[in-house]
């Protein structure tokens, strides 16, 4: 990529160099999805469908809007608005947009680049609800974020039942069969029946229980979990615990933990976790990773892609979530590459007062990186003129252009 120095040293041929610079940026931007994504998607989509998908993913990344009306308003096709809207609606109704056929091969390929087969994967089972929509999701934790694996919109509001949980988990367990799976779930997924089913599938689990649930420790009578004496700062671990009075179920372990008071704040209650993991430390480690699913829901809803604003029906909404999954994982991988190249400081703040960790996740670094590069290409004339009239900043502009060149390789 031409450096800023060449821009400033030769004003006579500046426009030729500027044009070359813009073309290079456009080439990088047109390649919205990495080759891994394109190779998987080509097997199910024809050329026209693949281009439509790339345009919609691009719109998601730069406009962070999921409403079909907003997508149609920005869709870069030279046709009437109503035609653009119908184009998107027809695309979102394609039978090829099947989670098992299109998404499963892609997410499996993505995971193979990040997680070695045979290693442990943490698989949260969770649900989020807004308006009339009730989305049930199985995901996998990667670098403190959850990546969606399989999802369904439930026909009713409220909690899921065992049959729905098993139906959502079965294809995921088959997809991840080369890994050591640990399923984690909040109190909605506390049933001993689910734990027993997972045990027979040879899957580990850590399922949080309500403190009003009854258990029976060895040599003792049934008691509520709240009667174990757990207090802030305490940890407990019991084996051979009976979690139900029903016959036919084996015994499991109980991991209990109540976070200590910190800076005057303390959780209202502790964790009581039904598990078949071998130690307290193992159970707490995997359950703490559950925060990644909350972060993903925030990224995909009001905090990122504004999923909550969509008014689409269940079929199109399911496929819109598929587009979000493609965009979300892509941004995460790109953010990882930007961080590993040492250019994160050009995208966001590395530190903030009273924060122990970096502010931005891989997802946000990837998303902001795309927006920064795109802004340079779109505003290239303004950028060029500003650099020309500020020669005192020349060395910083040079460094920034080199950083942009490196960041583009992540796209």
């Amino acid at each position: 990529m031409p450096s800023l120095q060449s821009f400033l040293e030769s004003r006579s041929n500046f426009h030729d160099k500027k044009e070359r610079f813009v073309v290079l940026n456009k080439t990088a931007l047109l390649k919205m999805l990495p080759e891994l994504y394109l190779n998987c998607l080509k097997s199910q989509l024809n050329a026209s469908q693949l281009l439509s998908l790339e345009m919609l993913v691009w719109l998601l990344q730069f406009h962070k809007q999921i409403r079909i009306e907003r997508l149609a308003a920005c869709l870069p096709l030279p046709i009437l608005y109503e035609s653009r809207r119908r184009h998107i609606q027809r695309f979102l109704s394609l039978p090829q947009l099947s989670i098992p056929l299109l998404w499963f091969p892609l997410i499996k390929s993505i995971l193979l680049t990040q997680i070695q087969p045979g290693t442990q994967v943490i698989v949260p089972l969770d649900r989020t609800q807004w308006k009339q929509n009730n989305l049930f999701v199985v995901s996998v934790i990667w670098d403190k974020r959850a990546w969606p694996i399989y999802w369904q919109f439930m026909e009713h509001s409220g909690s899921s039942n065992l049959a729905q949980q098993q139906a959502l988990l079965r294809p995921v367990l088959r997809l991840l069969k080369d890994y050591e799976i640990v399923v984690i779930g909040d109190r909605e997924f506390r049933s001993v029946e689910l734990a027993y089913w997972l045990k027979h599938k040879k899957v580990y689990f850590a399922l949080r229980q309500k403190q009003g649930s009854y258990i029976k420790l060895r040599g003792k009578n049934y008691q509520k979990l709240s009667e174990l004496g757990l207090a802030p700062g305490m940890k407990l671990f019991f084996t051979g615990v009976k979690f139900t009075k029903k016959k036919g179920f084996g015994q499991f372990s109980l991991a209990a933990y109540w976070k200590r008071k910190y800076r005057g704040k303390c959780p209202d209650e502790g964790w009581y976790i039904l598990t078949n993991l071998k130690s307290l430390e193992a159970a707490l480690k995997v359950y703490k990773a559950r925060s990644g699913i909350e972060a993903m829901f925030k990224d995909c809803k009001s905090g990122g892609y504004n999923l909550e604003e969509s008014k689409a029906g269940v079929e199109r909404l399911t496929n819109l979530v598929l587009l979000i999954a493609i965009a979300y994982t892509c941004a995460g991988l790109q953010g990882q590459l930007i961080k590993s190249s040492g250019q994160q400081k050009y995208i966001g703040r590395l530190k903030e007062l009273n924060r122990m960790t970096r502010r931005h996740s891989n997802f946000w670094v990837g998303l902001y990186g795309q927006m920064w590069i795109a802004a340079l290409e779109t505003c290239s004339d303004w950028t060029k003129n500003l650099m020309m009239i500020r020669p005192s900043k020349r060395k910083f502009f040079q460094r920034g252009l080199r950083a942009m060149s490196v960041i583009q390789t992540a796209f």
Side-chain angles (χ1 to χ4, degrees):
M1 173 173 292
S3 67
L4 176 62
Q5 182 176 359
S6 65
F7 287 5
L8 298 175
E9 288 179 348
S10 179
R11 300 187 66 163
S12 61
N13 63 351
F14 180 84
H15 292 290
D16 292 337
K17 293 181 179 292
K18 177 218 167 193
E19 289 301 321
R20 183 183 169 206
F21 178 71
V22 171
V23 168
L24 284 170
N25 271 291
K26 284 182 178 179
T27 301
L29 287 169
L30 287 173
K31 186 182 176 183
M32 186 68 231
L33 298 174
E35 289 297 327
L36 172 64
Y37 285 67
L38 293 174
N39 290 336
C40 288
L41 296 172
K42 284 177 183 176
S43 65
Q44 296 295 327
L45 302 176
N46 62 35
S48 174
Q49 294 164 350
L50 183 57
L51 286 172
S52 294
L53 184 143
E54 287 193 271
M55 283 193 289
L56 288 171
V57 169
W58 183 86
L59 289 174
L60 289 181
Q61 302 294 53
F62 290 99
H63 295 281
K64 299 198 288 291
Q65 286 287 339
I66 203 69
R67 293 183 63 177
I68 293 177
E69 291 78 9
R70 188 69 62 86
L71 293 174
C74 302
L75 187 69
L77 283 179
I79 55 178
L80 296 173
Y81 169 82
E82 187 60 27
S83 298
R84 298 198 301 272
R85 188 177 68 85
R86 287 198 299 267
H87 178 87
I88 294 173
Q89 289 176 331
R90 286 194 296 268
F91 177 82
L92 292 174
S93 299
L94 287 174
Q96 292 92 324
L97 297 184
S98 160
I99 299 173
L101 293 178
L102 193 71
W103 178 242
F104 278 7
L106 177 55
I107 189 61
K108 185 174 183 179
S109 297
I110 294 170
L111 291 175
L112 285 173
T113 68
Q114 303 299 316
I115 307 175
Q116 186 72 22
T119 57
Q120 185 183 89
V121 292
I122 301 172
V123 177
L125 183 66
D126 213 334
R127 185 179 57 85
T128 184
Q129 191 166 339
W130 73 98
K131 298 179 182 176
Q132 76 279 8
N133 299 302
N134 195 5
L135 181 62
F136 194 18
V137 184
V138 179
S139 55
V140 63
I141 298 296
W142 175 79
D143 199 17
K144 299 182 180 180
R145 278 297 194 278
W147 278 356
I149 302 293
Y150 192 32
W151 57 91
Q152 291 179 349
F153 281 93
M154 298 170 60
E155 296 180 353
H156 59 84
S157 61
S159 302
S160 60
N161 57 41
L162 179 62
Q164 291 169 326
Q165 295 164 13
Q166 291 172 331
L168 204 65
L169 279 168
R170 282 191 185 97
V172 176
L173 299 184
R174 289 194 295 268
L175 185 72
L176 302 178
K177 61 183 177 61
D178 295 328
Y179 296 94
E180 180 185 274
I181 303 171
V182 184
V183 173
I184 61 174
D186 204 355
R187 285 164 288 194
E188 179 180 328
F189 313 100
R190 67 187 183 278
S191 75
V192 179
E193 289 85 353
L194 176 60
Y196 200 64
W197 181 77
L198 290 171
K199 176 185 175 182
H200 278 271
K201 293 290 183 181
K202 299 182 180 179
V203 171
Y204 290 105
F205 54 84
L207 308 175
R208 187 175 174 184
Q209 305 292 293
K210 291 185 176 181
Q211 62 178 349
S213 300
Y214 282 88
I215 63 164
K216 185 178 185 302
L217 301 178
R218 289 176 178 173
K220 296 186 177 181
N221 296 324
Y222 277 97
Q223 60 181 319
K224 290 183 178 180
L225 289 170
S226 59
E227 297 171 353
L228 289 175
L230 187 67
M234 286 183 59
K235 298 178 181 179
L236 302 171
F237 190 72
F238 302 99
T239 59
V241 179
K242 190 173 179 60
F243 280 82
T244 178
K245 297 180 180 180
K246 297 179 182 178
K247 295 182 178 180
F249 292 98
Q251 298 176 334
F252 301 106
S253 296
L254 171 67
Y257 169 61
W258 196 332
K259 189 176 181 179
R260 66 181 177 86
K261 190 174 184 179
Y262 180 69
R263 292 184 176 180
K265 296 182 180 180
C266 182
D268 294 334
E269 60 182 274
W271 294 346
Y272 300 95
I273 301 171
L274 164 65
T275 185
N276 59 346
L277 291 164
K278 304 302 182 184
S279 68
L280 172 68
E281 291 73 22
L284 295 182
K285 179 182 178 180
V286 299
Y287 193 78
K288 286 178 180 179
R290 189 185 168 278
S291 60
I293 188 73
E294 299 296 340
M296 184 194 74
F297 284 151
K298 182 178 179 181
D299 289 340
C300 294
K301 292 167 69 178
S302 58
Y305 294 116
N306 290 295
L307 179 61
E308 293 174 324
E309 296 299 316
S310 176
K311 297 179 181 179
V314 170
E315 179 188 15
R316 288 175 182 154
L317 196 55
T318 299
N319 291 336
L320 282 169
V321 175
L322 173 58
L323 293 183
I324 287 177
I326 293 172
Y328 188 67
T329 53
C330 185
L333 291 173
Q334 290 165 342
Q336 181 191 46
L337 290 174
I338 292 171
K339 285 183 177 180
S340 65
S341 69
Q343 306 304 323
Q344 183 188 355
K345 60 187 176 182
Y346 283 95
I347 308 303
R349 297 171 66 179
L350 299 183
K351 296 180 181 179
E352 278 189 78
L353 186 65
N354 298 325
R355 285 184 68 97
M356 301 300 294
T357 59
R358 292 183 176 183
R359 176 180 175 83
H360 297 303
S361 66
N362 288 340
F363 165 66
W364 284 108
V365 170
L367 204 62
Y368 290 162
Q370 292 177 26
M371 295 171 69
W372 188 46
I373 297 294
L376 175 68
E377 192 278 321
T378 303
C379 306
S380 57
D381 286 337
W382 295 338
T383 303
K384 175 261 297 185
N385 291 332
L386 182 60
M387 291 191 297
M388 292 286 286
I389 64 177
R390 301 186 69 185
S392 63
K393 299 293 184 181
R394 174 175 170 176
K395 66 178 182 180
F396 301 108
F397 291 144
Q398 286 178 323
R399 294 172 187 170
L401 284 175
R402 285 194 293 269
M404 283 182 164
S405 180
V406 172
I407 290 170
Q408 279 185 332
T409 64
F411 306 141

